[in-house]
Amino acid sequence: MKPHALQPPSQSSCLMRVLAHSIALAFAGTLSAHADDDIQKVIVTAQSRAQSAQEVPISMEVITARDIQNLGARNLGDVTGYLPGFQVDATQPTQPIFGIRGVQAGDFGIGTDTPVGIYVDGVYTGKTGGALMNFIDIQRVEVLKGPQGTLFGRNSAAGAIAVVTNEPEAEFDAAGHVRVGDYGRADLDAMLNVPLGASTAARLVFVRARSDGWVRNTSTGNRTTGDNSWATRLSLKQKISDATLLLSWEHEQLRQKGWPAFGVVKDPTLPFAGYTGVYDAAYVAHFSDPRKARLENDTDGRETRNFDGVTLRAEIPLGGATLRSTTAFRTFSSYNLTDNDGTARVDFRLATQDQKKAYNWQQEFKLSGTTDMLDWIAGASFYDNRERQRSSAILNTATLDSLSLMQGGGADFATLFGGLGMAGVPGVDDSSVFGWQEDNNAKLRTRAFSVYGDLIWRLAPGTRLTTGLRWSRDRKEMQWHVPGRVSTALDGLLNTYGPAAGLDASALPSNIIFAAAGPLAATPVNAKRSWTDWSPRLVLDHKLNDDLLLFASLSRGYQAGGFNVFTPPNAASANPRERDPSFNPEKMTNLELGFKLTAPSLRATINGALFAYRFKNLQDVKLGGTSAIPTYNIINSDQEAKGLDLDARIRVSPRLTAFAGIEVIDQTYQRYQTTDSSGATLDLSGQTVGTPRFTGMAGVSTNWEALNGRMSATLQGNYHGKSRCNDDTRALQCLNAPAFRTGTSGGKADLRVGWDAANGKFGIGLLVNNLFDKRYVYNLDGQTKAFGLPYASVTAPRTIALELRGSL
């Protein structure tokens, strides 16, 4: 799934000009010095050491609690666009997709992982169903660009996202926050921090988020696109002499409607009357704008998740060193039912159902210390994960007849039912429809072990050399099982009335959707594979003066290989790739030259980096295969990119701050072969991947005294260029139909205005997301696109909410 393809908004363009003008005024305005008005330092732990963000020789972005408040963000998906180069597709919270610098790969199947590692308080949570969690009492989020394998470990070949939460404190504290808005928005979060003694404290947090959704499914009458979840965390912190223990428990439940499929073909004579296998101008002229047409899904869809996590962290001084231990257990179960035809038509009904359950525990030991010449870290980690997945295709006999007709066959089931009706079978004729479901079951166990070291050498005053190395071993054991179809009513009919005509249920194929996998895994089959890797990093940084840091880095990231959940091994095949369906590990090599500038006289920070990378064997999911309906399969490609990151923040005065950031990138395939709609090989080597060449954001924050308190306002917007489509994606992802377009440039704006009491214990706010109400069509795709019925997603309209907060 590619980054959102957005239509260019004239209002957002005006906003960007206004913001750019504001920033220009900020730089040109009065810059009289105020000793207490310096840009606040942000302390991060990107290198497993507490450092100022401006002292870390890594390209990174930091999201603070204030940033989260200004956006009204509930999870990482709500910050997309405001960190150039960082993308999150959160339309389905149980199947999110994360991307950094154009590397945006899905991990729909349990046999794969995303190349962007997600870590919460140092614990890896990057598997699909457990990756996109609510923000719960967040201190900050660090987004690290480029390979981070040496310190973060597995599955951070493209980058890492480190979420840091607040710990229990020694003083009593309590706070609450309520947000209500349109479309039934009602959010609540509360925090209670209680000291339990001179060396013990506890912290309890509760978060609730709910909305009805902004679109109604006219086929069922229900609203959808809403959210409904709650989460809690209980933490206990204990000081024992100089040692610290932190025990936390976290729980989350999600229960909401599934994301809708906005169909674009409303003519009931289509696709039979006009689709020839190509999305030509004549056919796309029939498309309807999904932003204006009625949503018609025969399945509302549903997403659920139960998540539990327990973590024990210990920090123990050992003479001149510090030992840190992290022990964690995580488990989640998720359910995703989605409409996959974008219509309410009986003759093309298709829904998919995905169920996952995972258990994992992790243990890491980290020893660190410092001398006059050296700052060092050494560690070892172990990861054990067990998962189960059931993927189901839910359709009916009318859909199977439609697929047969589209492929030049006949309406076999209608003919069969018509014959039975003429033979006197009651209640059956050629218009009868029976349900049909197929399941693909998979199990996976992953065990990973690694040891690593990271040394920062002080070569000279202001000059440091960082050398790091991690050795990893991953082992995966996969099991496939594809049982026969589930069609109880149909089988009962045929077994009751069919024998008179020499026919029973056994005459029907066991599977049609999973026809390729079914014969190979009618009984469970297994495969296992191991991989090892050395992941190094080398960084040289030098401070020209107290304010300017220059750095150069060369690093490599690694992600273990895996298995395609829909491709079991075929032991009888002469093709070695079919006998062993595993795919090779990912490896990313990244070169970076950057600077970090702090300008005290301007109260400003400016950071930038030039980067170039090569990514080998990027694992991604793509609709395709030889089944009657395309399934998600793993594809490998080699990619390369070069680009520029820049960000700046300036405090013009105690009342005004301006900020901006951009990323410019040129990303292409080095090696990638796929198939087109006819099944012919399509070589995309040398073509663009799809990532927009330019993304940017800008904003201004201001405050002033009023009403015996302080008013504040933040206006910010983001923008990205058009998608750079290739021969595989151009037809739909860069569509130019009479009704709408996809793949064009676009953006949005957000506004927050608030008032806080002078003592800071009470505040109100007005939050407007998508200020200019711009709506875009993106991800025009889907499993029925092969038969002329693609469906899309649509961005949310403007939303308005009122916030109240209080603290003791």
Side-chain angles (χ1 to χ4, degrees):
M1 196 175 296
K2 298 298 186 292
H4 297 180
L6 306 182
Q7 182 175 330
S10 58
Q11 293 99 322
S12 291
S13 299
C14 291
L15 172 70
M16 297 304 292
R17 288 194 293 269
V18 170
L19 293 177
H21 182 60
S22 299
I23 294 171
L25 290 176
F27 278 98
T30 301
L31 298 175
S32 57
H34 291 75
D36 58 347
D37 289 343
D38 295 337
I39 292 289
Q40 182 180 2
K41 285 188 177 181
V42 178
I43 303 301
V44 298
T45 53
Q47 297 192 113
S48 295
R49 306 157 172 95
Q51 298 171 286
S52 166
Q54 291 299 105
E55 300 291 329
V56 178
I58 296 175
S59 291
M60 62 184 299
E61 304 279 356
V62 180
I63 308 168
T64 65
R66 172 66 69 178
D67 297 327
I68 292 172
Q69 179 189 48
N70 287 338
L71 286 171
R74 295 178 296 277
N75 55 50
L76 284 167
D78 292 330
V79 303
T80 290
Y82 286 105
L83 300 177
F86 175 60
Q87 308 90 28
V88 182
D89 186 333
T91 52
Q92 299 183 63
T94 61
Q95 294 178 4
I97 300 176
F98 298 88
I100 292 179
R101 288 178 171 170
V103 180
Q104 188 174 15
D107 62 341
F108 166 80
I110 61 175
T112 60
D113 296 288
T114 173
V116 178
I118 317 294
Y119 300 83
V120 178
D121 292 328
V123 178
Y124 177 71
T125 61
K127 292 301 291 184
T128 47
L132 186 71
M133 308 296 289
N134 283 327
F135 285 147
I136 308 175
D137 197 24
I138 299 299
Q139 182 186 122
R140 68 182 183 275
V141 180
E142 303 172 13
V143 178
L144 313 178
K145 300 178 180 181
Q148 305 298 325
T150 302
L151 290 173
F152 282 86
R154 66 189 322 272
N155 302 335
S156 54
I161 302 168
V163 180
V164 181
T165 65
N166 290 310
E167 298 181 359
E169 298 176 342
E171 297 183 358
F172 177 83
D173 192 11
H177 172 261
V178 176
R179 178 187 298 136
V180 294
D182 47 5
Y183 304 109
R185 168 61 60 194
D187 297 346
L188 166 69
D189 61 79
M191 181 276 295
L192 177 65
N193 189 97
V194 181
L196 302 178
S199 58
T200 309
R203 192 178 186 95
L204 176 64
V205 183
F206 177 82
V207 176
R208 179 80 166 91
R210 184 191 177 281
S211 69
D212 296 330
W214 41 263
V215 66
R216 188 179 298 278
N217 184 355
T218 59
S219 298
T220 65
N222 296 322
R223 282 195 172 274
T224 185
T225 66
D227 60 306
N228 183 16
S229 64
W230 69 272
T232 187
R233 179 192 296 115
L234 177 62
S235 303
L236 181 66
K237 189 174 185 178
Q238 176 71 54
K239 297 281 290 185
I240 304 174
S241 186
D242 293 331
T244 302
L245 298 178
L246 181 62
L247 177 66
S248 63
W249 166 73
E250 185 174 335
H251 174 78
E252 178 176 317
Q253 285 190 11
L254 180 145
R255 303 283 188 274
Q256 65 188 46
K257 292 286 194 304
W259 191 259
F262 291 86
V264 299
V265 177
K266 301 298 183 181
D267 186 339
T269 66
L270 299 176
F272 296 109
Y275 184 63
T276 61
V278 178
Y279 286 99
D280 54 21
Y283 190 71
V284 301
H286 296 285
F287 284 5
S288 298
D289 188 341
R291 296 166 296 186
K292 301 175 182 178
R294 298 192 307 172
L295 174 65
E296 298 172 310
N297 287 175
D298 47 27
T299 301
D300 269 327
R302 182 169 176 77
E303 283 192 82
T304 69
R305 176 176 59 210
N306 289 326
F307 174 92
D308 283 283
V310 178
T311 305
L312 175 63
R313 289 186 287 159
E315 184 173 315
I316 306 169
L318 297 175
T322 301
L323 175 65
R324 294 178 176 87
S325 170
T326 301
T327 306
F329 173 78
R330 297 286 185 270
T331 180
F332 74 83
S333 58
S334 64
Y335 174 87
N336 186 307
L337 174 65
T338 308
D339 185 291
N340 267 266
D341 59 85
T343 74
R345 293 171 56 167
V346 175
D347 60 339
F348 273 100
R349 181 175 190 266
L350 173 64
T352 57
Q353 180 177 278
D354 183 69
Q355 302 175 71
K356 293 187 179 79
K357 191 166 186 65
Y359 306 86
N360 72 72
W361 73 270
Q362 307 168 50
Q363 176 64 56
E364 182 176 39
F365 295 105
K366 187 181 298 182
L367 190 65
S368 62
T370 183
T371 68
D372 292 340
M373 296 295 296
L374 184 65
D375 188 337
W376 59 272
I377 290 177
S381 66
F382 181 77
Y383 175 82
D384 190 336
N385 182 66
R386 302 171 190 239
E387 292 182 84
R388 298 197 303 268
Q389 179 178 14
R390 170 172 291 180
S391 303
S392 305
I394 304 171
L395 58 162
N396 58 38
T397 53
T399 301
L400 294 172
D401 275 351
S402 295
L403 300 182
S404 178
L405 290 169
M406 292 295 294
Q407 295 173 341
D412 297 330
F413 283 106
T415 301
L416 171 62
F417 300 149
L420 291 174
M422 294 177 63
V425 176
V428 179
D429 58 30
D430 59 2
S431 64
S432 297
V433 178
F434 290 85
W436 184 289
Q437 178 173 324
E438 297 184 21
D439 300 319
N440 185 101
N441 301 318
K443 294 181 181 180
L444 177 73
R445 183 177 185 186
T446 301
R447 283 171 288 183
F449 175 74
S450 66
V451 292
Y452 60 91
D454 194 75
L455 310 175
I456 300 179
W457 305 85
R458 300 180 182 91
L459 302 182
T463 303
R464 300 176 299 183
L465 175 68
T466 302
T467 57
L469 185 65
R470 176 182 288 258
W471 177 84
S472 304
R473 177 177 174 82
D474 291 84
R475 180 179 179 84
K476 293 187 177 183
E477 303 172 45
M478 186 84 169
Q479 182 184 92
W480 296 260
H481 180 212
V482 185
R485 70 181 189 282
V486 178
S487 52
T488 306
L490 175 60
D491 291 352
L493 172 73
L494 295 180
N495 289 333
T496 301
Y497 298 103
L503 180 69
D504 61 24
S506 64
L508 298 180
S510 176
N511 288 282
I512 295 178
I513 308 305
F514 299 130
L520 301 177
T523 58
V525 295
N526 300 275
K528 57 186 176 181
R529 185 84 185 271
S530 298
W531 302 269
T532 60
D533 179 76
W534 294 92
S535 299
R537 80 162 178 151
L538 181 67
V539 184
L540 180 66
D541 66 89
H542 177 70
K543 297 202 73 170
L544 284 181
N545 51 51
D546 291 340
D547 303 326
L548 178 59
L549 174 72
L550 304 178
F551 66 90
S553 69
L554 179 64
S555 58
R556 196 180 76 174
Y558 156 80
Q559 177 171 298
F563 299 95
N564 189 340
V565 72
F566 294 115
T567 307
N570 183 358
S573 174
N575 187 336
R577 293 297 300 275
E578 294 180 358
R579 293 197 305 271
D580 178 11
S582 64
F583 42 84
N584 293 325
E586 298 179 348
K587 294 185 179 181
M588 180 182 189
T589 302
N590 183 74
L591 175 64
E592 201 149 330
L593 303 174
F595 72 91
K596 295 193 173 185
L597 172 65
T598 302
S601 62
L602 300 177
R603 295 183 297 277
T605 60
I606 305 174
N607 303 319
L610 292 168
F611 63 87
Y613 68 73
R614 289 186 175 180
F615 208 119
K616 186 176 178 61
N617 291 323
L618 176 63
Q619 306 158 13
D620 200 0
V621 293
K622 176 181 169 62
L623 283 171
T626 58
S627 302
I629 294 176
T631 57
Y632 286 101
N633 292 276
I634 303 300
I635 56 96
N636 284 344
S637 67
D638 295 344
Q639 301 180 14
E640 63 179 359
K642 52 184 179 293
L644 167 69
D645 286 326
L646 281 175
D647 66 82
R649 177 179 292 265
I650 179 170
R651 190 171 184 182
V652 180
S653 73
R655 304 297 189 195
L656 179 65
T657 299
F659 49 91
I662 67 168
E663 179 171 285
V664 180
I665 186 171
D666 179 20
Q667 184 184 17
T668 58
Y669 289 112
Q670 281 187 298
R671 175 194 58 85
Y672 178 35
Q673 286 190 344
T674 184
T675 56
D676 61 18
S677 58
S678 67
T681 299
L682 191 62
D683 189 350
L684 300 181
S685 303
Q687 297 193 33
T688 55
V689 174
T691 306
R693 188 182 295 274
F694 176 87
T695 56
M697 62 82 63
V700 291
S701 294
T702 185
N703 65 84
W704 63 96
E705 294 178 358
L707 304 175
N708 295 319
R710 174 165 291 194
M711 295 289 297
S712 62
T714 299
L715 175 64
Q716 53 192 324
N718 63 65
Y719 172 86
H720 68 76
K722 64 181 181 180
S723 298
R724 303 176 67 202
C725 288
N726 53 54
D727 290 346
D728 184 42
T729 59
R730 189 169 292 112
L732 294 178
Q733 299 297 334
C734 290
L735 178 75
N736 187 9
F740 64 94
R741 293 183 294 165
T742 63
T744 56
S745 57
K748 74 163 190 160
D750 296 295
L751 172 69
R752 186 184 188 278
V753 179
W755 175 87
D756 294 289
N759 60 10
K761 295 185 178 298
F762 176 76
I764 61 175
L766 177 68
L767 182 67
V768 185
N769 292 118
N770 193 7
L771 179 64
F772 298 116
D773 198 26
K774 300 303 297 182
R775 308 291 305 284
Y776 311 115
V777 181
Y778 66 98
N779 287 341
L780 183 60
D781 202 1
Q783 289 178 290
T784 50
K785 73 173 183 180
F787 309 104
L789 292 177
Y791 53 86
S793 291
V794 175
T795 57
R798 177 175 50 229
T799 59
I800 302 174
L802 178 67
E803 300 178 325
L804 300 174
R805 70 161 191 88
S807 62
L808 299 179

